[in-house]
Amino acid sequence: MIPSKTWFPQSLQERAAWYENFNFQAQSTGASLGLTVDDLTQINEDNMMMQFLASTAVTFETFNESFTLFRNLVTTGDIGDTPPPFPAFPSPGIPLISPVVGIFERVSEVYRPRIMASAAYTDEQGALYGLIGAGPEPPDPATVEPTLKTFPAATGNMFSAVVTGRAQADQWVISYAEVGTTNWIVAGTFTGKSGDITVPNTTGKPIQLQVRIQLRKGNANYGQPSAIILTTVNP
């Protein structure tokens, strides 16, 4: 079996690094989290095997690259070219432990549940051991662009604004300018997904507006401004 990718790495080299850390944490504090002496011994041997597998994989990959280059030079090179040296065949040192099948199953189905069921377990320890996911990466603010929709009221020179795609923003500022002008006016700051805006209008006629928003987070601009859309307020 393969443990869940929500907390367990996917590549062999990353898994070897994960096991190195897991073994270090287990040998340091595992006894206080329900791991037995036999558990700690097996975890240490599993880690030794993982480090052997990862380093040996690199060794053979390097040999394979060298052998491919040798083969290509010998078969496709020009007559009279100096023959390349034959690459040395790898001979990795065999670890001084007997392989015990089930490394992944042990960590996923035995050690992880035992540690997390311990009365002394905390999420901080789970993170140190690598047993819980770090959560999704926060979005790159440079790629965050909210979507604005407006819904004009039938009367009252008012429209409602609804904002989606706010990511981690905690507020947003809405601005408007009459069509044909560049006189942008900040209409208000909101913290929810929607807000109502009343536009001063002494003309007694409908006014067509350009409207946009800027997300904010921690009192600083966050992400990109929304696209400018058009809306009309009615007296």
Side-chain angles (χ1 to χ4, degrees):
M1 68 163 297
I2 298 178
S4 170
K5 64 181 180 181
T6 60
W7 58 271
F8 194 67
Q10 299 302 293
S11 75
L12 177 58
Q13 301 304 320
E14 290 174 329
R15 288 169 176 173
W18 186 95
Y19 265 93
E20 187 77 20
N21 173 72
F22 179 73
N23 181 55
F24 173 79
Q25 301 296 338
Q27 305 306 325
S28 300
T29 62
S32 66
L33 293 173
L35 296 179
T36 67
V37 173
D38 288 343
D39 290 336
L40 296 175
T41 298
Q42 188 61 60
I43 289 170
N44 187 57
E45 292 191 357
D46 286 348
N47 178 57
M48 292 172 62
M49 182 58 68
M50 286 299 300
Q51 303 313 312
F52 164 75
L53 294 174
S55 62
T56 301
V58 171
T59 298
F60 276 97
E61 287 168 5
T62 301
F63 170 78
N64 186 58
E65 292 174 358
S66 298
F67 179 78
T68 299
L69 177 61
F70 172 85
R71 183 193 66 203
N72 290 340
L73 288 172
V74 168
T75 57
T76 64
D78 296 332
I79 295 173
D81 285 350
T82 301
F86 192 86
F89 196 81
S91 54
I94 304 300
L96 300 177
I97 55 172
S98 298
V100 180
V101 174
I103 292 178
F104 290 177
E105 185 174 3
R106 277 191 291 278
V107 76
S108 179
E109 304 302 312
V110 180
Y111 307 139
R112 183 174 185 264
R114 189 171 296 168
I115 290 171
M116 297 179 76
S118 168
Y121 172 81
T122 65
D123 284 344
E124 288 77 11
Q125 287 171 313
L128 283 174
Y129 275 73
L131 298 176
I132 59 177
E137 288 291 323
D140 180 359
T143 67
V144 175
E145 182 176 338
T147 299
L148 170 65
K149 293 184 178 181
T150 59
F151 301 90
T155 60
N157 298 304
M158 188 189 81
F159 68 90
S160 297
V162 177
V163 180
T164 56
R166 292 175 291 158
Q168 295 185 330
D170 51 27
Q171 55 185 237
W172 47 276
V173 177
I174 188 164
S175 305
Y176 66 83
E178 287 192 42
V179 170
T181 74
T182 57
N183 182 29
W184 286 90
I185 298 171
V186 174
T189 300
F190 300 87
T191 57
K193 68 178 182 180
S194 64
D196 295 329
I197 296 90
T198 299
V199 179
N201 180 8
T202 60
T203 68
K205 299 178 181 180
I207 302 176
Q208 191 174 33
L209 302 173
Q210 308 169 82
V211 186
R212 68 187 179 193
I213 66 162
Q214 172 63 61
L215 298 174
R216 303 273 288 175
K217 179 182 179 182
N219 295 318
N221 285 350
Y222 172 82
Q224 305 297 317
S226 71
I228 295 173
I229 65 172
L230 300 181
T231 194
T232 300
V233 294
N234 303 296

